[in-house]
Amino acid sequence: MDLLDTTAAVMTPERVRFRYRLAGPGRRAVAWLIDALLRLIVVVGVMTVVVLLSIIPGVGAVGQGLFLVVLFISEWVYGVFFETVLGGRTPGKLLLSLRVVREDGSPGRFTDYLLRNLVRAVDYLPGFFAIGLTSMLFDRRLRRVGDLVGGTVVVVEERDSVRDRAEIQPPVSEEERVALPARVDLSREELSVIELFLRRRKRLSDDRAEELAWLFGPALSERTGVTAPTWERVLALAYARAVGKDR
Amino acid sequence: MNPNLCRVALRPRDPFEVFDLTFRFVRERLRPLLRLTAVVLLPPALLLTLLAWWFDGAWWLLFPTLAMGPILQAPFTLAGGRLLFGDDVAVGQVLVETLKRSVGLLGLWSAQGLGWAAVMAIGLASEPIAAISIAVAAMATAPVAGLLTTFVGEAVLLERVGLARAFRRSGRLMAGTGGSAIAATSSRWFLLVWLALASESSGQAILDFVLQLGVPFGSLMNGDVTPFLLAGMLLAQPAAALYRLLLYVDARTRGEGWDLQVSLRALGLQ
Amino acid sequence: MSERDRFVEKGRPRWERLEDLLGQVFLTAKDWSELASLYRGACADLSRARSLSLSDDVHRYLDQLAGRAHNRLYSTRSGSGWSILRMAFVEAPAEIRAQWRFFLLASLLFYGPFFAGAGAALWDVDLAYQILPESQLAQMEAMYDDPDMVRGAGEDASMAGFYIWNNVGIALRCFATGVLGGLGSMFFLVYNGLMIGTVFGYLFSVGNGWNLLAFTAGHSAWELTGIVVSGAAGLKLGFALIVTHGRTRAGSLRRVAPSLARLVLGAAVLLFVAAAIEGFWSASGLWPSIKFAFGVVQIGIVGLWIALVGGRRT
């Protein structure tokens, strides 16, 4: 069974399969706002220069033309330019660790970026990205119309970590070891849940840990014959014996 | 399929991811949510449309809509909680259950309703702009107020605790998520404004541009509160409720190992 | 130690080295080859983690690591400047020929209303008022009252900027709205054809027509063709969504995407040239006869570009 999540699996040409974390409207709206702010700063900057220069006769109108060209660039060229140059990222996407890739996970190409950025004109419609938002709601990979035409998805590239180890604290003592049944059989699922519990133990309060262990401890104790003063210890000892970690 | 297992992948997420996950959640549970939306939101939508037409898009219509918000969210919080574990819920069952469980919230809702009514009264007595400024100020300070109150509804509706304990629960959960929770609370208002404006522009575009009917309800441009705007505000309620529900799940996963609770209980019940 | 912890312990040094490399902005040739081999290692670890069904956090970590390394490795070059220019100037006309059906359809949708509007306005001026508001027509009439509408050099540049921002923007929107089943593009084509045609017809019937014709002679070949090409691209986009030839809609879009890109770039080229001519040439005080001659040359250039450049496309 696939759990509901914001990821999508891709298969690279080398037949390696991995999952990408997809970016939806939340992160992308923020990236878009940052890009919009940058564009606004440049446009306002150019406008200021044009207004300042317009005191020189004859230059004012040239400045006006230049300003309109800058406006055109900010509206139509900004996205495709940066995505092409920065490998699928605009400055806003870079700041939020977003990247545009093709649906199969391979890097985007100029034509993909071109189409997805042009069709943004439709995603805007009729206002406030209503079409784009609707499209993202109905698409399993959170794509807007521009992504559908360009064949792209936006993914999150963020560092993750594998830190915590599954530890039994304190270690299994000699008496406990002797008292343990000779064989404890745990299913794969049970092992992985208890392992997760042990790994997260440090970040839970003692009361909470015992409360959680109580949910499974009694049933486990009854089935395997493992006993201990606390339910938490029951889980830990059963796990230790099952994986041979008690020595 | 084990009915005790949560069907949404549980892991710590940032508020953006939870927002995106809300989209996926709505997409995968579209049918039951649409049914519930139709039952819960259609009556207020019709009522508000009638009022907007009768009172010519008066500004104060925003306030009853805002006051209704928490009440309209309650069934979605409850239904969302069920839909984490299953594909479907019965609308009638959800509504009955909501009625039973929301007794504890009546005091809070009345207080909020009275608050909005007072703000509206200020506007009616002086200038509309006064009431709207206060409303905007309330939205701006929401992150601070939200530190204590964000998950009160979830605590009462899903954990069935009393109001006083619900406040303490909410405060503790928010403390566990740190700064991200503040971003999350303010983004709910952002969602409300976004959906209201998107709905307004879509409605006007369809009416005026596609059907060539002009602007019979007035438009926000001219300071009128249109049924489209109100519809957007109503639609933002289920969205906000589900977003907050998933934030709540995330806060519990991080703070108290809710994912462990779900899987350990599933093992215990086998 | 659990299976998972052993696995992590063993892999960690390599993974951390890979993280380091990914964090660096500039990589030497040696770094690149190391990156590539570490990426392959991470992929192997990932499939091993999957077959051992280790815990979710290991999968997640390796997924994101492999994903980031993959993107870094393969996303260095995504089309050089030359290849883009080649697409716009050389491949675009060949694509227009290859898509002659859509080009023809777009032409009909544009020039049909154009001549209808012009004919209606010539036949009876009152009809023009039905199509366009009187104030706008009066404004047009005043604008082309003076046969030589000379502008200052600065003003020329300002107008060129305006034409780029406005006209190219409209054409790009005309293409983009093709995604609404082609309806948006059809609307843009018909609407613009009708407007422009009506203005022409109206000005001829009130007597300023030759001034307008002299003004537009230089750039019209570029501009009108540009509009039609962007409309053709939009129609093709809409068509690919509706008639999928048994593919999924996404697959159907994927198939036409390169051709759409070429058409749009071609339309952009046509409209940029039009903006330049309209800005710097069309309003100059030269004799109308020179402007007409220039216009004929432009028609020839556009025609030859579309007819000959780029060889055959299959």
Side-chain angles (χ1 to χ4, degrees):
Chain A
M1 178 185 70
D2 254 2
L3 290 176
L4 184 57
D5 204 345
T6 50
T7 55
V10 294
M11 179 86 92
T12 67
E14 305 99 329
R15 315 215 39 88
V16 179
R17 195 168 69 95
F18 53 80
R19 301 189 76 84
Y20 269 122
R21 253 178 68 191
L22 298 169
R27 221 170 236 274
R28 289 170 66 175
V30 177
W32 183 84
L33 286 172
I34 290 173
D35 283 329
L37 195 70
L38 281 175
R39 282 158 42 198
L40 187 73
I41 289 172
V42 171
V43 167
V44 169
V46 171
M47 196 165 73
T48 318
V49 172
V50 165
V51 169
L52 286 178
L53 284 182
S54 65
I55 34 174
I56 308 170
V59 174
V62 176
Q64 253 172 42
L66 192 71
F67 170 73
L68 288 165
V69 171
V70 170
L71 209 60
F72 174 83
I73 290 173
S74 122
E75 199 178 334
W76 294 101
V77 184
Y78 177 93
V80 61
F81 173 77
F82 277 112
E83 282 173 12
T84 307
V85 171
L86 297 178
R89 293 173 298 182
T90 58
K93 290 198 180 76
L94 193 66
L95 281 174
L96 282 153
S97 323
L98 297 177
R99 193 195 284 272
V100 180
V101 297
R102 287 163 68 86
E103 283 164 335
D104 59 0
S106 59
R109 294 176 307 207
F110 169 73
T111 49
D112 310 325
Y113 301 139
L114 178 74
L115 291 176
R116 76 182 291 281
N117 279 291
L118 288 180
V119 179
R120 182 180 291 111
V122 171
D123 281 302
Y124 277 132
L125 292 176
F128 301 92
F129 273 104
I131 288 185
L133 207 59
T134 314
S135 161
M136 284 193 206
L137 177 62
F138 285 99
D139 184 68
R140 279 166 205 271
R141 291 195 226 167
L142 301 165
R143 287 171 294 181
R144 60 176 176 82
V145 180
D147 287 321
L148 294 171
V149 175
T152 53
V153 286
V154 181
V155 300
V156 185
E157 297 186 304
E158 224 165 30
R159 298 184 69 145
D160 220 323
S161 62
V162 272
R163 271 193 313 261
D164 305 327
R165 296 175 55 177
E167 284 168 346
I168 298 177
Q169 279 303 336
V172 183
S173 68
E174 192 52 36
E175 302 124 75
E176 281 174 324
R177 206 167 65 76
V178 174
L180 274 176
R183 256 179 79 89
V184 171
D185 287 320
L186 294 180
S187 70
R188 183 138 223 151
E189 194 189 348
E190 285 167 336
L191 272 177
S192 70
V193 171
I194 299 176
E195 197 185 307
L196 191 65
F197 173 74
L198 293 172
R199 193 170 307 129
R200 294 265 292 277
R201 175 62 187 85
K202 274 179 294 185
R203 281 183 270 159
L204 299 169
S205 71
D206 288 350
D207 285 349
R208 179 63 182 161
E210 185 58 17
E211 193 183 1
L212 289 174
W214 167 78
L215 291 168
F216 181 43
L220 183 68
S221 177
E222 197 178 317
R223 200 185 77 208
T224 59
V226 177
T227 52
T230 62
W231 296 121
E232 188 196 335
R233 203 64 186 159
V234 168
L235 294 193
L237 291 175
Y239 176 80
R241 166 72 22 137
V243 300
K245 207 176 178 184
D246 51 339
R247 273 171 296 273
Chain B
M1 195 170 290
N2 191 335
N4 299 310
L5 279 180
C6 183
R7 309 274 289 279
V8 173
L10 295 172
R11 57 188 164 89
R13 296 164 193 265
D14 60 42
F16 296 130
E17 266 194 281
V18 179
F19 191 87
D20 298 347
L21 183 68
T22 312
F23 266 63
R24 294 281 295 117
F25 186 67
V26 172
R27 167 71 178 79
E28 296 304 316
R29 302 285 185 270
L30 201 58
R31 270 158 185 279
L33 288 175
L34 275 183
R35 259 185 279 134
L36 192 61
T37 306
V39 173
V40 175
L41 293 190
L42 223 47
L46 288 176
L47 178 72
L48 286 170
T49 305
L50 213 62
L51 286 174
W53 178 68
W54 189 259
F55 290 102
D56 238 8
W59 61 272
W60 53 261
L61 286 163
L62 292 175
F63 287 87
T65 317
L66 283 173
M68 260 189 260
I71 304 169
L72 297 176
Q73 287 183 14
F76 289 97
T77 304
L78 205 78
R82 298 269 167 84
L83 290 170
L84 288 174
F85 294 92
D87 288 329
D88 209 351
V89 284
V91 172
Q93 214 183 347
V94 167
L95 291 179
V96 171
E97 196 74 358
T98 312
L99 281 180
K100 267 194 250 167
R101 294 190 184 191
S102 53
V103 178
L105 287 169
L106 283 179
L108 189 67
W109 287 347
S110 338
Q112 282 172 333
L114 283 176
W116 287 123
V119 175
M120 189 173 123
I122 292 173
L124 283 171
S126 59
E127 287 288 316
I129 195 76
I132 290 169
S133 321
I134 297 176
V136 171
M139 292 182 197
T141 49
V144 183
L147 279 180
L148 265 184
T149 58
T150 296
F151 296 130
V152 168
E154 278 72 15
V156 173
L157 290 169
L158 300 174
E159 298 178 34
R160 317 183 80 157
V161 298
L163 197 57
R165 246 196 95 192
F167 271 100
R168 261 178 284 139
R169 281 283 295 147
S170 173
R172 213 171 42 225
L173 283 174
M174 287 299 273
T177 56
S180 67
I182 298 179
T185 355
S186 39
S187 56
R188 268 169 34 229
W189 288 107
F190 180 67
L191 188 70
L192 180 84
V193 175
W194 188 0
L195 286 187
L197 292 176
S199 160
E200 163 80 10
S201 50
S202 306
Q204 297 291 7
I206 289 170
L207 218 56
D208 188 17
F209 188 73
V210 178
L211 301 176
Q212 297 282 319
L213 290 176
V215 279
F217 295 105
S219 94
L220 187 63
M221 299 285 202
N222 306 325
D224 300 313
V225 171
T226 64
F228 307 121
L229 189 77
L230 296 173
M233 287 173 72
L234 288 180
L235 275 179
Q237 302 307 334
L242 295 170
Y243 178 38
R244 207 182 45 234
L245 172 78
L246 292 173
L247 282 172
Y248 163 80
V249 166
D250 183 60
R252 289 197 65 181
T253 299
R254 288 188 211 210
E256 43 194 46
W258 191 71
D259 50 338
L260 288 170
Q261 177 182 329
V262 170
S263 18
L264 284 169
R265 189 176 52 210
L267 292 180
L269 291 176
Q270 259 172 16
Chain C
M1 203 184 253
S2 73
E3 209 171 11
R4 177 249 183 216
D5 289 348
R6 262 198 305 276
F7 181 81
V8 170
E9 209 85 329
K10 230 179 90 201
R12 195 198 298 275
R14 283 177 286 128
W15 302 340
E16 275 173 359
R17 174 67 188 142
L18 183 53
E19 295 264 10
D20 277 352
L21 286 174
L22 289 174
Q24 284 170 26
V25 180
F26 298 105
L27 296 175
T28 63
K30 204 168 128 271
D31 289 341
W32 279 113
S33 69
E34 192 184 356
L35 181 68
S37 85
L38 285 170
Y39 161 68
R40 279 192 298 275
C43 287
D45 286 339
L46 181 58
S47 50
R48 222 155 63 80
R50 210 172 275 132
S51 65
L52 294 173
S53 57
L54 296 179
S55 65
D56 278 352
D57 63 331
V58 179
H59 288 176
R60 214 154 50 226
Y61 174 77
L62 288 173
D63 271 333
Q64 63 81 22
L65 189 63
R68 278 164 59 213
H70 173 267
N71 291 345
R72 183 69 193 261
L73 269 176
Y74 294 97
S75 74
T76 42
R77 265 265 151 282
S78 50
S80 65
W82 280 118
S83 73
I84 295 168
L85 287 179
R86 194 184 139 74
M87 218 188 276
F89 287 95
V90 182
E91 293 173 18
E95 191 65 46
I96 296 172
R97 291 198 297 279
Q99 306 300 336
W100 64 271
R101 286 184 191 83
F102 289 100
F103 186 72
L104 189 67
L105 181 61
S107 304
L108 288 175
L109 284 170
F110 181 78
Y111 290 112
F114 178 94
F115 287 115
L122 276 174
W123 187 51
D124 183 356
V125 180
D126 284 342
L127 281 175
Y129 296 127
Q130 301 285 318
I131 300 169
L132 279 170
E134 221 171 315
S135 58
Q136 205 178 333
L137 287 171
Q139 200 190 338
M140 285 289 167
E141 197 179 334
M143 228 168 105
Y144 296 100
D145 215 12
D146 183 6
D148 29 55
M149 17 182 313
V150 189
R151 291 190 301 232
E155 218 172 321
D156 279 352
S158 151
M159 288 317 286
F162 174 78
Y163 296 133
I164 287 177
W165 174 68
N166 187 59
N167 298 3
V168 184
I170 287 177
L172 293 180
R173 265 187 208 99
C174 172
F175 159 68
T177 51
V179 81
L180 310 170
L183 289 176
S185 308
M186 282 184 206
F187 171 79
F188 269 101
L189 286 169
V190 171
Y191 178 83
N192 281 304
L194 190 64
M195 294 296 116
I196 300 172
T198 306
V199 169
F200 264 92
Y202 175 78
L203 287 188
F204 268 103
S205 66
V206 297
N208 293 354
W210 287 104
N211 294 345
L212 175 66
L213 205 59
F215 174 77
T216 52
H219 62 259
S220 58
W222 297 93
E223 177 148 2
L224 301 185
T225 313
I227 294 174
V228 169
V229 169
S230 71
L235 292 176
K236 183 163 175 66
L237 170 58
F239 189 76
L241 270 174
I242 295 166
V243 181
T244 56
H245 295 294
R247 294 181 179 80
T248 61
R249 280 183 217 294
S252 172
L253 281 178
R254 212 50 350 88
R255 207 174 61 89
V256 300
S259 119
L260 295 180
R262 286 186 211 108
L263 289 177
V264 170
L265 288 174
V269 166
L270 287 162
L271 288 156
F272 277 120
V273 176
I277 296 177
E278 191 172 0
F280 294 105
W281 167 272
S282 298
S284 63
L286 294 166
W287 293 330
S289 49
I290 294 181
K291 287 188 177 179
F292 287 128
F294 180 80
V296 171
V297 173
Q298 298 311 309
I299 293 173
I301 293 175
V302 173
L304 288 175
W305 183 62
I306 292 181
L308 297 179
V309 175
R312 273 181 73 85
R313 281 215 84 76
T314 45

